[in-house]
Amino acid sequence: MNNFLMLCNTRASVRDYLPTLPTAEAIDRIKEAVRLAPSACNKQPWRFFYVTNPELLSQLFQTYPRPWLSTAPALFVAVKNVAENWVRPADNHAHGDIDLAIAVEHLCLAAAEEGLGTCWICNFDTKACAELLNLSEEWQPVAMTPIGYPGEKHQDTGRKRKTTEEIFVDLV
Ligand SMILES: Cc1cc2nc3c(=O)[nH]c(=O)nc-3n(C[C@H](O)[C@H](O)[C@H](O)COP(=O)(O)O)c2cc1C
C-alpha cells in the first residue's frame, strides 16, 4: 500500500473530539491543501470559514444539533458562489457543488495527514447557517466539518465499501 492509499484508509468520519485546538501550523497546511484543489474552469467559486469563536461555534452547532458535534473545538464551513461557478453549456448544469466537494475532501485528507479528525456534514440547516455567517444571496453553504483531535469515544468502523468489481466497469 502506498502513502496515499494509507491516508485514504486513515481518514474516517470522527464523531467525538478532544477540546484541544489544532495547531496553527497544521491548519495552515490544511488551508494550503484546500487552496490547491482543482475546480471547473479554475473558477474557485468558494470561501471557507474556519470558526473557533466559542459563541459562533455553538450557534453553528445548532444548525446540526447532535451532541457529538459540540465536542469539536473548531469547524470549517464551505460556501459556494452561485454567480461564480462554471455552468456547463450543454445542459446548464452548475458545477459549484462538485468544486466544493473536491476542496472539502482535500481538507479532510490533509487533516488526516495531521492526525486530525473531520466529518463531512451536509444534513444541516443551510439557511440558518447562511444567516449566522451573514452571507449575501450569491453565497450558499454546501458542507461543513468539525475538526480536531479524535476523542476516546471515536470508533472507526473501517472503510465499508462496495467492492472494486461492483463499482468499476472496465471496457477493454
Ligand atoms: C457528501 C457527504 C455528506 C455527509 N453528511 C453527513 C452528515 O450530515 N452527518 C454525518 O454524521 N455524516 C455525514 N457524512 C459522513 C458519511 O456518513 C461517511 O463518510 C460514510 O458513512 C463513510 O464513513 P467514513 O467517512 O468513516 O469512511 C457525509 C459524507 C459525505 C461524503
Side-chain angles (χ1 to χ4, degrees), residues 42-99:
N42 205 18
K43 294 274 188 184
Q44 304 163 68
W46 48 45
R47 291 284 183 283
F48 304 91
F49 293 87
Y50 178 57
V51 185
T52 57
N53 175 280
E55 196 184 332
L56 182 56
L57 209 49
S58 68
Q59 289 171 321
L60 286 167
F61 287 159
Q62 289 315 305
T63 69
Y64 186 64
R66 303 291 186 280
W68 65 262
L69 183 57
S70 308
T71 64
L75 186 75
F76 275 103
V77 184
V79 306
K80 70 174 173 184
N81 187 318
V82 293
E84 208 179 5
N85 71 167
W86 182 70
V87 179
R88 182 165 54 202
D91 59 2
N92 282 330
H93 182 80
H95 279 55
D97 286 341
I98 295 177
D99 294 334

Side-chain angles (χ1 to χ4, degrees), residues 72-162:
L75 186 75
F76 275 103
V77 184
V79 306
K80 70 174 173 184
N81 187 318
V82 293
E84 208 179 5
N85 71 167
W86 182 70
V87 179
R88 182 165 54 202
D91 59 2
N92 282 330
H93 182 80
H95 279 55
D97 286 341
I98 295 177
D99 294 334
L100 269 283
I102 295 166
V104 173
E105 191 57 13
H106 271 214
L107 190 165
C108 294
L109 289 169
E113 178 69 18
E114 302 288 344
L116 288 160
T118 55
C119 183
W120 270 87
I121 295 173
C122 287
N123 186 19
F124 64 113
D125 184 340
T126 54
K127 192 165 172 282
C129 178
E131 281 168 17
L132 287 167
L133 296 174
N134 292 315
L135 300 183
S136 58
E137 284 276 293
E138 68 193 33
W139 290 98
Q140 293 177 1
V142 172
M144 58 186 193
T145 175
I147 185 162
Y149 301 98
E152 279 175 15
K153 285 188 232 150
H154 165 58
Q155 284 181 332
D156 183 1
T157 49
R159 311 280 77 70
K160 290 179 187 156
R161 299 293 191 261
K162 294 179 181 175

